[in-house]
């Protein structure tokens, strides 16, 4: 299995190199790793022993953000190094003030893992939710460097719990402690004889519960919404979501929609615009025109970083991704007290399941179902569902504090 794993890593890397001349994201993935070790050696202060946080992408960064903020606030002398697997995370957060160093993660091979850890020599490592890299985990164990997974979540159908999953169970056994999102995860780890795990919850709640207090006021959005009492905020949408939304919104001229797509390259924005028959029906934020915006029903947000404040202007939120690999962040909307709508592929997301069980979120699989929800949402029903969403977020906060107490009890932070 180890041979197959190594071959898989090799083929994946080769595929991205071949694809890179034709695909911007693959190009950034490849170019970001050119001369990476040289840049690391020239940048990282020798002997500083940073805390290493690894994130798959932007969503996982937000999940681990509260822990980094807590460390920086209480122990400002601690150095933090961040690695990202995906350009979606690196390109947006490469200049984050939370870290002293930010790099792409080198490909997971035995040679690269050894060289990476020889250069970085972290005091301990923190991975978020998932991404279990065999060589990095094995090398951390060999060097006796503590490794933690925060906001960990496991399900019965994962390969770790299959009869053929021995190699992958071996990866998990290199982890010093799992801070799990739910008791099911703790149970499934115990089922494969991993007992170094405990229930802490999801660190994202600690981040999002603060968002309404930090919300930016955006005058352009206020102008767009003048005279409107019905506002839908559609966040992180993909093409399937946008087609469905357009189908319904064309018959809802009493609603205004703030649409923040997941991909903001020009060809995708043009595809969104083509869904609507009239130029007066949409306006782009970057080419903001006062008169055009006042007449528009849909405002397209063609930038990154604004979405968490936009939910504060809505009555209902639609979260994209539910017709693809899985939904995006529902909690940023829920923390503002908005009912949340998303597509059918949400089962892997504990918070989505919880919100539906509470009557604070709703899953739809077609335009007709979305239209029925618009009819269903009277003012009182919206407020009730939104209140349930907000209470859920507030009651789930606290994971960061538990993690900090554990790290302090192990004397892993605060000793410098």
């Amino acid at each position: 299995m180890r041979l197959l794993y190594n071959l898989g890593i090799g083929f994946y890397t080769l595929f991205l190199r071949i694809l890179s001349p034709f695909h911007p994201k693959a190009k950034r993935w490849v170019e970001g790793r050119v001369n990476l070790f040289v840049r690391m050696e020239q940048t990282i202060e020798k002997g500083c022993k940073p805390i290493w946080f690894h994130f798959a992408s932007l969503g996982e960064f937000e999940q681990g953000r509260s822990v980094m903020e807590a460390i920086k606030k209480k122990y400002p002398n601690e150095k933090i190094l961040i690695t990202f697997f995906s350009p979606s995370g690196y390109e947006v957060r490469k200049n984050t003030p939370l870290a002293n160093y930010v790099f792409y993660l080198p490909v997971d091979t035995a040679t690269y893992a050894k060289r990476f850890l020889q250069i970085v020599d972290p005091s301990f490592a923190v991975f978020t939710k998932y991404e279990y890299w065999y060589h990095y985990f094995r090398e951390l164990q060999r060097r006796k460097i503590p490794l933690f997974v925060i906001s960990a979540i496991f399900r019965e159908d994962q390969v770790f719990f299959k009869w053929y999953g021995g190699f992958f169970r071996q990866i998990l056994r290199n982890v010093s402690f799992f801070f799990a999102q739910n008791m099911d995860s703790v149970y499934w780890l115990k089922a494969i004889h991993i007992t170094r795990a405990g229930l802490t919850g999801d660190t994202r709640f600690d981040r999002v519960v603060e968002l309404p207090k930090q919300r930016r006021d955006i005058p352009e959005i206020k102008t767009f919404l003048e005279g409107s009492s019905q506002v839908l905020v559609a966040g992180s949408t993909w093409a399937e979501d946008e087609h469905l939304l357009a189908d319904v919104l064309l018959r809802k001229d009493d609603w205004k929609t703030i649409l923040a797509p997941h991909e903001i390259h020009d060809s995708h924005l043009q595809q969104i615009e083509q869904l609507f028959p009239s130029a007066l029906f949409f306006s782009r934020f970057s080419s903001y025109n006062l008169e055009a915006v006042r007449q528009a029903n849909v405002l397209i947000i063609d930038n990154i970083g604004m979405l968490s404040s936009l939910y504060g202007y809505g009555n209902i939120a639609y979260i994209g991704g539910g017709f693809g690999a899985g939904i995006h962040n529902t909690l940023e909307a829920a923390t503002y007290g908005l009912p949340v709508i998303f597509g059918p592929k949400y089962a892997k997301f504990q918070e989505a399941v919880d919100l539906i069980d509470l009557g604070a979120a709703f899953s739809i699989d077609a335009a007709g179902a979305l239209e029925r929800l618009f009819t269903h949402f009277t003012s009182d029903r919206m407020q009730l569902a939104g209140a349930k969403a907000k209470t859920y977020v507030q009651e789930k906060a606290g994971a960061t504090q538990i993690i900090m107490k554990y790290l302090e009890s192990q004397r892993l932070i605060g000793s410098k």
Side-chain angles (χ1 to χ4, degrees):
M1 182 61 75
R2 179 178 170 180
L3 176 61
L4 290 175
Y5 178 88
N6 289 336
L7 287 172
I9 294 290
F11 282 128
Y12 181 78
T13 305
L14 178 61
F15 172 73
L16 288 179
R17 290 184 183 280
I18 294 172
L19 185 64
S20 61
F22 316 101
H23 193 284
K25 192 171 181 179
K27 183 178 181 180
R28 290 194 296 270
W29 191 97
V30 171
E31 289 181 346
R33 288 166 170 81
V34 174
N35 296 322
L36 181 54
F37 288 117
V38 174
R39 288 185 279 122
M40 290 173 61
E41 287 174 328
Q42 292 173 345
T43 306
I44 299 173
E45 177 187 349
K46 294 189 184 303
C48 73
K49 296 188 75 67
I51 302 168
W52 172 29
F53 281 84
H54 174 70
F55 305 114
S57 190
L58 189 58
E60 290 69 38
F61 172 88
E62 294 301 327
Q63 202 151 25
R65 184 171 184 160
S66 63
V67 179
M68 293 187 293
E69 287 175 339
I71 291 172
K72 278 292 187 183
K73 182 178 181 179
K74 194 168 183 179
Y75 303 105
N77 291 330
E78 294 283 359
K79 297 285 196 297
I80 291 178
L81 178 141
I82 292 174
T83 56
F84 287 100
F85 179 79
S86 167
S88 300
Y90 177 83
E91 295 299 331
V92 176
R93 297 300 182 197
K94 60 186 175 184
N95 296 316
T96 175
L98 290 174
N100 302 88
Y101 314 104
V102 183
F103 297 100
Y104 279 100
L105 182 72
V107 175
D108 185 37
T109 69
T111 301
Y112 283 178
K114 287 178 182 178
R115 190 171 178 188
F116 176 89
L117 290 170
Q118 184 177 16
I119 296 170
V120 174
D121 189 25
S123 56
F124 62 93
V126 180
F127 278 54
T128 303
K129 192 176 180 180
Y130 49 67
E131 273 210 66
Y132 299 100
W133 296 113
Y134 173 79
H135 294 291
Y136 281 105
F137 281 31
R138 185 167 177 264
E139 189 63 18
L140 284 164
Q141 173 76 352
R142 191 182 74 80
R143 292 171 181 263
K144 295 182 168 38
I145 297 171
L147 166 62
F148 305 102
V149 178
I150 62 174
S151 298
I153 189 163
F154 293 96
R155 303 178 308 279
E156 182 181 5
D157 61 351
Q158 289 175 304
V159 67
F160 310 110
F161 312 109
K162 305 296 185 183
W163 64 266
Y164 51 83
F167 172 79
F168 299 97
R169 289 192 284 274
Q170 186 180 348
I171 299 176
L172 298 185
R173 293 192 176 101
N174 291 309
V175 177
S176 305
F177 198 86
F178 292 90
F179 298 96
Q181 288 191 35
N182 55 29
M183 280 306 299
D184 283 351
S185 298
V186 176
Y187 168 82
W188 284 112
L189 288 171
K190 286 183 178 178
I192 56 174
H193 311 294
I194 294 176
T195 58
R196 299 181 305 278
L199 174 65
T200 54
D202 188 343
T203 51
R204 281 183 303 164
F205 289 93
D206 299 313
R207 169 65 180 159
V208 298
V209 78
E210 297 295 322
L211 289 178
K213 305 172 190 175
Q214 303 166 355
R215 172 190 163 195
R216 283 193 294 142
D217 188 48
I218 308 172
E220 295 90 340
I221 300 297
K222 284 186 174 181
T223 300
F224 169 64
L225 299 177
E226 281 178 3
S228 177
S229 60
Q230 308 277 31
V231 180
L232 171 71
V233 181
S236 302
T237 58
W238 293 84
E240 295 90 339
D241 304 299
E242 290 144 10
H243 279 82
L244 182 148
L245 287 166
D247 189 26
V248 174
L249 291 173
L250 289 173
R251 297 187 294 277
K252 299 291 177 185
D253 56 7
D254 55 330
W255 280 76
K256 289 213 170 185
T257 300
I258 303 169
L259 177 60
H262 184 73
E263 298 284 352
I264 58 170
H265 52 80
D266 196 60
S267 60
H268 185 211
L269 296 176
Q270 289 178 15
Q271 290 171 5
I272 296 173
E273 292 167 356
Q274 289 169 6
L275 295 174
F276 304 110
S278 169
L280 294 178
F281 200 84
F282 68 84
S283 178
R284 287 201 206 180
F285 190 86
S286 64
S287 55
Y288 191 90
N289 176 283
L290 188 61
E291 288 307 312
V293 164
R294 279 179 171 158
Q295 296 180 65
N297 287 73
V298 176
L299 178 61
I300 301 172
I301 306 300
D302 48 357
N303 60 51
I304 294 173
M306 193 181 285
L307 182 57
S308 62
S309 292
L310 293 175
Y311 288 120
Y313 293 96
N315 302 111
I316 300 177
Y318 179 97
I319 309 300
F323 290 89
I327 58 173
H328 290 281
N329 192 336
T330 56
L331 298 180
E332 288 187 352
T335 194
Y336 283 100
L338 301 190
V340 183
I341 303 169
F342 41 75
K345 296 184 179 179
Y346 65 88
K348 294 181 180 179
F349 300 85
Q350 184 65 48
E351 66 279 8
V353 174
D354 291 344
L355 288 167
I356 282 183
D357 288 343
L358 289 169
F362 307 85
S363 176
I364 51 99
D365 57 7
L370 181 59
E371 179 124 32
R372 285 191 294 274
L373 274 180
F374 272 96
T375 304
H376 165 83
F377 275 128
T378 62
S379 179
D380 288 346
R381 285 175 172 171
M382 278 195 290
Q383 288 179 7
L384 179 59
K388 289 177 179 178
K390 186 172 185 176
T391 299
Y392 171 75
V393 172
Q394 292 172 338
E395 290 179 347
K396 289 287 185 178
T400 299
Q401 186 178 0
I402 298 172
I403 293 168
M404 287 291 290
K405 285 183 176 179
Y406 181 93
L407 296 176
E408 289 170 331
S409 71
Q410 300 297 307
R411 299 185 182 278
L412 291 170
I413 53 176
S415 58
K416 295 181 182 178

